[in-house]
Amino acid sequence: MADEFNGDALDALFAEARRVDAAPELRVRVLADGLAVAGEAGKPANPRRRGSGGWLGWLDNMGGWPALSGVTAAGIAGLSLGLYAPEVVDLVLGGQLTTFMGGSVTPDMDTLLLAVGDFGDV
Amino acid sequence: MEATNAELDALGDDALMVLFAGGDHDAARILTDRLLPRAFRHAARVLGDRAEAEDIAQEAMLRLWRAAPDWNPHGPARPRTWLYRVTANLSVDRLRRRGRAVGLDEDLPSSAPSVESQMQDAGRMAALDAALARLPERQRQAVVLRHIEGLANPEIAEVLGIGVEAVESLTARGKRALTAALASKKEALGYG
């Protein structure tokens, strides 16, 4: 009986297991830990996310992080939720945030005033 | 002058550890890309639980970051092997805490759920996990490291702290046991 499953079938299962990857959100947490350890992120090591209530629960129902285009979504979501320092998100995005913000992940006063100005007089 | 991403990509893990310890954030990113998937897959297959595997992988990587300042790039340990070892130990600790561990090289406990019962509503990876879960602890680790992570036997021996001959024996017995456990489920797994 065992002969019927020998060789290729088990190897194919192993090959399938090799394609399993870590979730983008885990990658963000790990990088945040790295920067925290390096003493430059300004935040302690990040807590593990257990449970899936609220916004994260909604995301899980939508198919999880892959539904939001992977690592970028995780980084942006982390930034928008205030979970991760901008430096972490920038690192995850390979410097794209720095480029977008004109060289710094912390907006200067002119940028902020310009953004406020976009809303017009109130 | 900072190294470009291409230059960093060409470096070995040891060199990246040194750069990370010196404050190079891109080194952390590349190390994460290279090593996190390995730690996660290893823990996921040994534990059979994705959430627990994420915890273990994150903890193992955290220990790697903390080890960086004292890392000896010319020492015998490689970051990859070191991380596998930490992941293996953390996974074993987790298994023992939740009381599902099979002894180092013992026969299967009679209370272990059958592969068939665990496969009823599960997918192919769940079936593999169910079969792996029935292996003794070291067999499971050796099979995962050899056949899923692709490590050579000497590196597995280093990770598990045993001899190369013992690794050969564990992987051979483990693969036979897996084959036997999954043999009757070939059609359910989509083969044949």
Side-chain angles (χ1 to χ4, degrees):
Chain A
M1 192 69 178
D3 289 343
E4 295 178 13
F5 190 78
N6 211 354
D8 291 347
L10 186 56
D11 287 340
L13 263 186
F14 286 147
E16 205 169 312
R18 281 194 288 275
R19 291 194 291 272
V20 171
D21 203 356
E25 204 254 350
L26 174 62
R27 183 170 177 262
V28 176
R29 294 206 308 265
V30 165
L31 278 170
D33 283 348
L35 266 60
V37 168
E40 296 182 28
K43 282 198 166 190
N46 289 277
R48 285 86 171 123
R49 179 176 71 85
R50 303 303 296 267
S52 55
W55 194 88
L56 293 172
W58 171 83
L59 182 59
D60 284 343
N61 290 334
M62 294 296 290
W65 295 103
L68 289 184
S69 74
V71 173
T72 300
I76 293 298
L79 178 64
S80 65
L81 292 171
L83 295 174
Y84 305 106
E87 289 80 1
V88 175
V89 177
D90 188 46
L91 185 60
V92 170
L93 299 179
Q96 294 177 50
L97 189 59
T98 306
T99 303
F100 177 73
M101 299 295 285
S104 171
V105 293
T106 307
D108 57 26
M109 188 55 72
D110 289 342
T111 304
L112 290 173
L113 290 174
L114 188 62
V116 171
D118 287 342
F119 291 99
D121 295 332
V122 289
Chain B
M1 186 175 182
E2 289 188 9
T4 65
N5 283 338
E7 288 170 335
L8 288 173
D9 280 334
L11 294 176
D13 295 343
D14 282 305
L16 291 171
M17 286 285 280
V18 173
L19 287 174
F20 169 71
D24 191 319
H25 294 177
D26 285 320
R29 180 174 50 77
I30 295 172
L31 281 168
T32 299
D33 288 345
R34 289 182 187 176
L35 300 179
L36 175 62
R38 292 177 175 276
F40 172 72
R41 277 195 306 266
H42 179 189
R45 294 284 78 82
V46 169
L47 294 168
D49 183 295
R50 189 177 182 97
E52 283 192 314
E54 288 190 350
D55 280 356
I56 296 298
Q58 185 177 0
E59 175 63 27
M61 288 296 295
L62 181 58
R63 293 187 186 196
L64 185 80
W65 302 139
R66 287 175 174 158
D70 300 319
W71 194 265
N72 177 7
H74 307 297
R78 290 189 297 163
R80 184 179 87 163
T81 309
W82 187 93
L83 187 70
Y84 275 127
R85 188 164 198 161
V86 170
T87 303
N89 290 338
L90 290 172
S91 297
V92 168
D93 288 346
R94 183 66 63 99
L95 284 170
R96 288 177 178 163
R97 276 211 303 275
R98 73 187 190 196
R100 281 171 47 188
V102 179
L104 286 181
D105 213 6
E106 299 168 358
D107 291 333
L108 297 175
S110 58
S111 60
S114 70
V115 172
E116 184 172 5
S117 68
Q118 292 200 23
M119 281 181 57
Q120 285 176 348
D121 298 314
R124 293 156 55 80
M125 282 303 96
L128 178 60
D129 287 344
L132 281 167
R134 292 173 61 82
L135 299 183
E137 200 172 285
R138 276 188 178 162
Q139 269 188 38
R140 193 185 323 171
Q141 298 262 14
V143 166
V144 169
L145 291 171
R146 178 73 186 90
H147 294 292
I148 296 176
E149 292 306 303
L151 270 60
N153 287 347
E155 188 173 7
I156 298 172
E158 194 177 341
V159 170
L160 298 180
I162 58 178
V164 174
E165 287 185 1
V167 171
E168 292 169 354
S169 172
L170 287 171
T171 52
R173 281 186 288 153
K175 195 170 182 183
R176 277 200 302 272
L178 275 184
T179 303
L182 293 166
S184 63
K185 303 301 169 191
K186 185 173 181 177
E187 289 184 8
L189 288 165
Y191 297 102

